[in-house]
Amino acid sequence: MRTGRVAVFAPSPQLTVTVEVLDDAPDIHIHAGGQGVWVSRMIESLGVDVVLCAALGGETGQVLRHLVDVRLKARDVTARNGAYVHDRRDGVRDPLVVMPADPLSRHELDDLYEMTLVEGLNAGVAVLSGPAEGDEPVPDSVYERLAKDLGGNGCQVVVDLSGGRLAAALEGGPTVVKVSHEELVSDGLAESDSLPDLVAACERMAGSGARAVVVSRAAEATLAMVDGGFALVSAPKMSTVDTRGGGDSMTAGLAAALAQGKSLEDAVKLGAAAGAVNVMRHGLGSGSGDVVRELVGRVRLERWEGDR
């Protein structure tokens, strides 16, 4: 089913400040960030209309409103958005300051939920993304409700979550689940990062009704469960500038392909290509759609029939 648009739920985007070096002098970059922002940016790069559904509040929220570079549907709130300052002058991210997001009030949450539901149903494809690590702007139960209410009314739901948020979203029955092997192990969903254990975890998650489960495995081939079958997905190797955001770009590729009416197998290939491109760049979710489309034909998908 072709929808042509994706709604991304990002309850509390972050204000990001990164210090780098340009011509032997400090070079400061200020951007809107957070998983939902990075996913939305890549979806738009892939030629798909996207709307970011978020709550904005405090001084950080005021600045973010001017920095978000995709179509934004925002609920003004009193809760402050989070922010961080990273020093990357030596090539490695060193967190200097991290300010967590404030939790939304009951009325703020209700309004954000309704707004996201309307946008998701109008779009036909929705991505449920999480806040930054340590932030708790909304309760985990919101993800179960959104997955259930969106999916139950014809919207294809893609989730990229971990911990309690992932467990809640699975109860709602998403269409596609994207998760990393580290998250599966740390959340206790897989006994180890061996393929048989990851396969068993995928099968358990598919019990929620998910048609596809995609497990990124760092430098190893991605494991994908599509309509009950398993495959290892290998993307071209690229020189790495920053590994952060590769998984978010993969999620963006999955959602964009669904909106374009592609099969789940082709969606997995587009996601793998988008993730490969992201690591070449400093900006998260900033890869070129042209490069991603060029790499799709070089993604290898091999059926996996190993022991379980």
Side-chain angles (χ1 to χ4, degrees):
M1 178 178 65
R2 180 186 179 89
T3 68
R5 188 146 53 97
V6 179
V8 177
F9 175 63
S12 187
Q14 281 182 304
L15 178 64
T16 74
V17 181
T18 304
V19 185
E20 299 190 357
V21 174
L22 179 64
D23 298 329
D24 297 323
D27 186 32
I28 298 176
H29 298 262
I30 302 174
H31 295 288
Q35 184 186 31
V37 171
W38 299 323
V39 168
S40 298
R41 188 179 296 150
M42 177 58 79
I43 290 173
E44 187 170 75
S45 293
L46 293 171
V48 174
D49 290 339
V50 65
V51 56
L52 181 70
C53 302
L56 298 179
E59 291 184 7
T60 45
Q62 293 177 23
V63 175
L64 282 166
R65 184 176 292 278
H66 298 285
L67 293 178
V68 172
D69 52 2
V70 298
R71 189 160 76 89
L72 174 67
K73 191 78 171 182
R75 199 313 188 164
D76 291 324
V77 297
T78 58
R80 300 174 306 168
N81 292 84
Y84 68 66
V85 180
H86 285 182
D87 187 344
R88 197 166 60 179
R89 283 175 289 182
D90 62 357
V92 179
R93 287 184 180 270
D94 180 18
L96 300 180
V97 180
V98 178
M99 185 183 84
D102 294 333
L104 302 184
S105 71
R106 178 169 60 86
H107 292 301
E108 291 170 345
L109 176 58
D110 286 346
D111 289 348
L112 177 61
Y113 188 94
E114 290 180 355
M115 182 180 73
T116 302
L117 186 64
V118 169
E119 293 297 330
L121 293 177
N122 285 336
V125 176
V127 175
L128 305 187
S129 71
E133 184 177 356
D135 284 3
E136 301 291 342
V138 300
D140 294 346
S141 59
V142 168
Y143 291 94
E144 177 182 354
R145 291 170 55 211
L146 275 175
K148 183 177 181 179
D149 290 348
L150 288 168
N153 288 282
C155 181
Q156 299 183 87
V157 178
V158 180
V159 301
D160 185 352
L161 303 162
S162 61
R165 299 182 189 108
L166 174 58
L170 288 173
E171 291 296 322
T175 309
V176 178
V177 178
K178 155 65 182 63
V179 66
S180 74
H181 70 288
E182 295 100 334
E183 290 165 341
L184 286 180
V185 175
S186 63
D187 290 346
L189 297 174
E191 293 184 6
S192 76
D193 61 3
S194 69
L195 276 175
D197 285 344
L198 295 178
V199 164
C202 289
E203 291 175 329
R204 285 192 291 270
M205 286 188 289
S208 68
R211 292 183 54 207
V213 180
V214 181
V215 182
S216 58
R217 300 167 60 232
E220 301 297 322
T222 295
L223 174 66
M225 178 182 183
V226 177
D227 291 330
F230 286 89
L232 294 176
V233 186
S234 301
K237 300 296 183 183
M238 297 292 161
S239 300
T240 300
V241 173
D242 192 343
T243 58
R244 293 178 72 244
D248 298 332
S249 289
M250 178 178 287
T251 299
L254 291 165
L258 291 179
Q260 292 169 332
K262 299 182 184 294
S263 67
L264 284 171
E265 185 172 297
D266 286 340
V268 170
K269 290 181 179 179
L270 185 64
V277 168
N278 185 85
V279 302
M280 300 189 304
R281 301 176 62 92
H282 288 94
L284 303 183
S286 61
S288 162
D290 290 339
V291 177
V292 174
R293 285 185 285 271
E294 175 62 31
L295 290 184
V296 167
R298 303 172 187 270
V299 173
R300 299 195 316 276
L301 190 151
E302 300 177 1
R303 298 297 174 185
W304 191 79
E305 301 290 348
D307 295 334
R308 303 186 189 180

